[in-house]
């Protein structure tokens, strides 16, 4: 017997263990869009003349984020939406997804900017990986992973922020879903990195950094994947050859296990974090921003993380 949608009695396509609801396609779409709208309204209210930059890699998460921004705000003449794609220079991986980002932005009629590591840093990610022999050097002395993904993430964030600022963006949308958020919160706890938790949260807007907006942070990864599939959006078909993140993979497994036995765990983690961060931010003074002595970008040290990474030898 087919299970029926709790809201309209047509056949359900998904069951949400955390809400106890079976939903049909129409009501599943409504649920995803309602969650994104609510997150925007509560955490990142859009104002007249906002310029919304969307970090658009061409994977499922950023594709859904871009489509939702287009659906929610695309009809407003006072709002400008710009997709930004960073080409890290990863052969056999990023070149395919760049093509898909071009197709999607053309189809939706969205402005699209593509910037590469090569243009910005003079080197592609492939070149950096072989130069720094990253695969042999997983952890720094303070137990932080220093594999390719750490480099890639820092270098990508820097370009995204710079491009967003150059076009006058007031918001920078990132496709982090509920699973990403819960994993990052756990990882920062495991590392004892309280300052990092606060620094890039919505509770703390800093000079020179465009506010990072996460409309998908209350939507589980599985639902994002289904929404992307049903909307025929770009998905990651190949894996990045440098994919690393061993610690994150462990945390992902741990949280998924908890979620099966205790549905709603990921939501609880994010909810608890949201309550805690404003209180910690008050106690910690993290507003002391400087400008990097090498590149001039905003940072919290004399030299920004990206410049340190590019200067520093990964293998000492
Ligand atoms: S998997 Fe890691 S190295 Fe590959 S694109 Fe993503 S962050 Fe960069
Ligand atoms: Zn229904
Ligand atoms: Zn710098």
């Amino acid at each position: 017997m087919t299970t029926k949608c709790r809201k309209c009695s047509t056949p359900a396509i998904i069951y949400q263990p955390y809400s106890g609801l079976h939903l049909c396609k129409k009501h599943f779409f409504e649920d995803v869009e309602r969650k994104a709208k609510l997150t925007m309204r509560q955490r990142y209210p859009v104002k007249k003349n906002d310029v919304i930059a969307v970090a658009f890699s061409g994977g499922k998460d950023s594709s859904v984020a871009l489509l939702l921004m287009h659906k929610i705000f695309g009809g407003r003449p006072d709002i400008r939406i710009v997709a930004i794609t960073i080409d890290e220079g990863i052969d056999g991986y990023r070149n395919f997804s760049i093509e898909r980002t071009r197709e999607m932005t053309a189809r939706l009629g969205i402005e699209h900017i593509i910037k590469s590591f090569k243009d910005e840093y003079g080197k592609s990610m492939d070149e950096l990986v072989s130069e720094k022999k990253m695969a042999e050097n997983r952890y720094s002395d303070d137990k932080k992973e220093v594999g390719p993904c750490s480099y890639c993430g820092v270098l990508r964030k820097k370009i995204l922020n710079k491009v967003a600022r150059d076009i006058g963006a007031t918001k920078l949308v990132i496709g982090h879903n509920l699973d990403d958020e819960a994993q990052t919160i756990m990882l920062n706890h495991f590392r004892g990195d309280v300052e990092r938790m606060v620094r890039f949260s919505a509770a703390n807007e800093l000079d020179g950094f465009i506010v990072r907006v996460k409309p998908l942070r209350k939507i589980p990864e599985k639902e994002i994947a289904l929404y992307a599939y049903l909307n025929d959006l770009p998905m990651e078909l190949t894996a990045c050859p440098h994919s690393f993140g061993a610690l994150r993979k462990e945390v992902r497994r741990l949280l998924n296990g908890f979620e099966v036995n205790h549905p709603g765990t990921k939501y609880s983690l994010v909810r608890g974090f949201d309550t805690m961060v404003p209180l910690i931010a008050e106690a910690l003074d993290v507003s002391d921003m400087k400008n990097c002595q090498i590149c001039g970008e905003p940072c919290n040290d004399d030299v920004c993380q990206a410049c340190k990474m590019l200067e520093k030898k990964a293998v000492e």
Side-chain angles (χ1 to χ4, degrees):
M1 201 184 80
T2 332
T3 313
K4 289 186 174 162
C5 172
R6 175 75 78 82
K7 301 196 174 176
C8 73
S9 303
T10 59
I13 58 156
I14 185 171
Y15 174 63
Q16 298 174 326
Y18 58 87
S19 69
L21 295 181
H22 291 275
L23 297 173
C24 68
K25 182 173 165 182
K26 173 176 175 270
H27 285 112
F28 168 60
F29 278 17
E30 275 184 21
D31 190 62
V32 167
E33 288 158 19
R34 180 188 58 81
K35 281 174 179 151
K37 273 186 200 159
L38 191 68
T39 301
M40 290 303 292
R41 205 166 48 236
Q42 289 179 339
R43 285 180 72 88
Y44 319 104
V46 166
K47 298 186 284 292
K48 203 171 163 20
N49 300 326
D50 258 353
V51 177
I52 304 177
V54 181
F56 182 37
S57 69
K60 65 179 189 322
D61 300 300
S62 64
S63 302
V64 169
L66 184 63
L67 179 65
L68 288 173
M69 290 301 101
H70 179 68
K71 279 191 173 188
I72 301 171
F73 303 110
R76 280 181 57 170
D78 60 318
I79 305 288
R80 180 179 164 208
I81 300 174
V82 184
I84 305 174
T85 300
I86 306 299
D87 181 359
E88 298 92 346
I90 302 173
D91 200 31
Y93 171 66
R94 189 52 88 216
N95 30 347
F96 298 130
S97 53
I98 298 271
E99 223 18 72
R100 296 197 300 273
T101 61
R102 283 207 183 94
E103 284 163 17
M104 184 171 161
T105 47
R107 180 158 55 87
L108 297 177
I110 292 174
E111 263 182 82
H112 190 198
I113 297 172
I114 303 178
K115 288 273 173 194
S116 70
F117 273 25
K118 191 95 178 171
D119 292 341
E120 185 68 25
Y121 305 118
K123 282 181 182 124
S124 68
M125 190 58 200
D126 283 343
E127 286 166 337
L128 281 166
V129 169
S130 58
E131 197 177 274
K132 295 194 178 288
K133 300 193 181 78
M134 288 176 187
E136 297 163 22
N137 189 49
R138 290 185 175 207
Y139 297 101
S140 62
D141 293 343
D142 55 358
K143 302 286 178 286
K144 284 184 182 156
E145 279 195 69
V146 288
C149 292
S150 313
Y151 275 71
C152 189
V154 166
L155 300 178
R156 184 175 46 239
K157 268 185 212 160
K158 181 173 165 181
I159 311 183
L160 276 172
N161 191 66
K162 208 166 148 187
V163 176
R165 208 182 49 223
D166 288 351
I167 61 165
T170 45
K171 291 180 168 56
L172 175 57
V173 170
I174 309 288
H176 283 191
N177 57 48
L178 175 69
D179 294 57
D180 297 323
E181 285 288 272
Q183 288 160 19
T184 304
I185 292 166
M186 283 299 274
L187 274 167
N188 283 332
H189 275 299
F190 286 160
R191 290 175 179 138
D193 203 342
V194 179
E195 195 171 318
R196 188 162 163 169
M197 284 189 205
V198 175
R199 198 167 279 285
F200 291 107
S201 73
N204 193 54
E205 298 179 10
L206 300 168
D207 269 358
F209 283 110
I210 309 304
V211 179
R212 285 157 59 92
V213 164
K214 301 172 191 170
L216 313 184
R217 70 192 295 274
K218 292 289 181 73
I219 308 171
E221 183 170 18
K222 277 186 190 158
E223 296 185 23
I224 296 292
L226 183 61
Y227 187 87
Y229 173 74
L230 294 172
N231 278 287
D232 205 15
L233 297 182
M235 316 255 291
E236 225 111 69
L237 300 174
T238 44
C240 171
H242 309 308
S243 169
F244 210 103
L247 196 55
R248 184 174 282 270
K249 278 181 194 151
E250 262 184 77
V251 170
R252 171 198 286 253
R253 265 199 304 275
L254 183 132
L255 280 174
N256 285 347
F258 256 85
E259 189 67 36
V260 169
N261 295 332
H262 313 280
T265 297
K266 292 171 189 168
Y267 277 111
S268 310
L269 248 176
V270 173
R271 206 172 44 243
F273 173 78
D274 290 348
T275 312
M276 206 168 67
V277 157
L279 304 172
I280 304 174
E282 256 184 60
L284 270 185
D285 183 18
V286 292
S287 58
D288 187 19
M289 296 303 289
K290 301 175 185 175
N291 286 92
C292 171
Q293 288 173 358
I294 298 175
C295 70
E297 284 297 299
C299 62
N300 58 334
D301 211 340
D302 293 334
V303 174
C304 77
Q305 250 187 312
C307 286
K308 277 184 201 164
M309 283 179 159
L310 292 169
E311 293 286 293
K312 195 179 111 175
K313 276 207 173 332
V315 181
E316 245 109 58

